[in-house]
Amino acid sequence: MRILVVEDDTQISAFIAKGLREDGHVVDCVDNGRDGLFMATTEAYAAVVLDRMLPGLDGLTVLRALRGAGNAVPVLLLTALADVDHRVEGLRAGADDYLVKPFAFAELSARLDGLSRRSPAASPAAPSTRLQVADLELDLLRRTASRAGRAIELLPREFMLLEYLMRNAGRVVTRTMLLESVWNYHFDPQTNVIDVHISRLRQKIDHGFASTLLHTVRGAGYRLDG
């Protein structure tokens, strides 16, 4: 799943993102309500993890704005407010589920799985579990890749990298975006890890084929397209 995490506590946000990425999900993180609302209304997500107390716009305001705009993305509301009245207020504002801090990651993961199972976004009419760019295909359930029917063996990190590039096909993906989304680095460690993985991935998906899919955009990053 592609999941948006809207949480202003950087430690909690990093904790959630790390766990979700290890579970194979693609995660975007923002630290304020305005950016959260913008991302949730301009990008396609399978679920949103939304903190209640946020700078800019608080979580309930973001939630009401989403529902008022007809956006039915499943929302798991996080909060330190544990009393019944606050939980009821969050649910009535449009939250699909409610989790009180502090929490165990296993419970958050299980609740997101539950939301995906009962959400219309998880039905057969929803986004496929297969990604395709030109003749390159990625099966997210079987964790397999192929191009023009030829199987491609990918290491786990290579699979995550290719999935992120395919989900952003046609757009330039920067080094910072890759470090945060694939390696969970929130700083640039000044290593050549991206260059090495991009080189290996290019060799696997482009070598021996008539057309090149993975392009380097000088001074900007990388772009995958047909």
Side-chain angles (χ1 to χ4, degrees):
M1 295 190 293
R2 186 180 183 194
I3 299 171
L4 174 65
V5 176
V6 189
E7 167 62 68
D8 64 325
D9 186 312
T10 55
Q11 288 187 324
I12 294 176
S13 179
F15 166 71
I16 294 171
K18 180 176 184 295
L20 291 175
R21 288 170 181 144
E22 287 175 350
D23 283 349
H25 303 299
V26 174
V27 184
D28 293 328
C29 297
V30 294
D31 61 4
N32 65 84
R34 294 188 186 280
D35 287 346
L37 180 59
F38 175 79
M39 292 289 286
T41 53
T42 58
E43 301 288 341
Y45 292 101
V48 176
V49 178
L50 178 65
D51 185 28
R52 177 163 176 158
M53 302 176 69
L54 291 165
L57 297 175
D58 66 86
L60 290 187
T61 300
V62 172
L63 189 52
R64 290 183 180 119
L66 282 174
R67 300 308 187 226
N71 190 318
V73 62
V75 174
L76 174 61
L77 197 63
L78 295 181
T79 183
L81 305 173
D83 62 80
V84 172
D85 288 343
H86 284 118
R87 293 201 301 272
V88 169
E89 185 180 23
L91 293 169
R92 285 180 172 167
D96 297 274
D97 203 350
Y98 203 100
L99 189 58
V100 176
K101 300 175 183 178
F103 56 87
F105 175 77
E107 182 177 5
L108 180 141
S109 179
R111 287 175 180 264
L112 287 174
D113 286 344
L115 291 182
S116 71
R117 285 194 298 270
R118 69 176 185 253
S119 166
S123 69
S128 173
T129 56
R130 289 177 179 268
L131 299 177
Q132 182 166 356
V133 176
D135 56 353
L136 177 65
E137 295 186 29
L138 204 64
D139 188 317
L140 303 179
L141 293 181
R142 294 185 176 87
R143 311 297 286 179
T144 58
S146 64
R147 183 168 181 191
R150 184 192 306 175
I152 299 171
E153 296 295 329
L154 297 175
L155 297 175
R157 187 75 68 177
E158 293 169 346
F159 190 95
M160 292 173 64
L161 176 59
L162 181 57
E163 180 182 354
Y164 189 82
L165 289 166
M166 291 182 75
R167 288 186 183 277
N168 291 277
R171 294 189 288 181
V172 174
V173 174
T174 67
R175 179 186 178 90
T176 298
M177 292 166 69
L178 291 175
L179 285 170
E180 290 185 350
S181 299
V182 180
W183 277 269
N184 197 30
Y185 291 158
H186 296 281
F187 63 97
D188 189 341
Q190 297 298 315
T191 73
N192 67 343
V193 62
I194 291 179
D195 302 317
V196 170
H197 278 78
I198 287 287
S199 177
R200 289 175 179 169
L201 186 60
R202 180 179 280 123
Q203 182 73 12
K204 291 185 177 184
I205 69 172
D206 281 340
H207 182 70
F209 294 95
S211 61
T212 299
L213 299 180
L214 183 51
H215 308 274
T216 298
V217 182
R218 291 191 178 278
Y222 305 95
R223 188 184 72 250
L224 185 78
D225 61 38

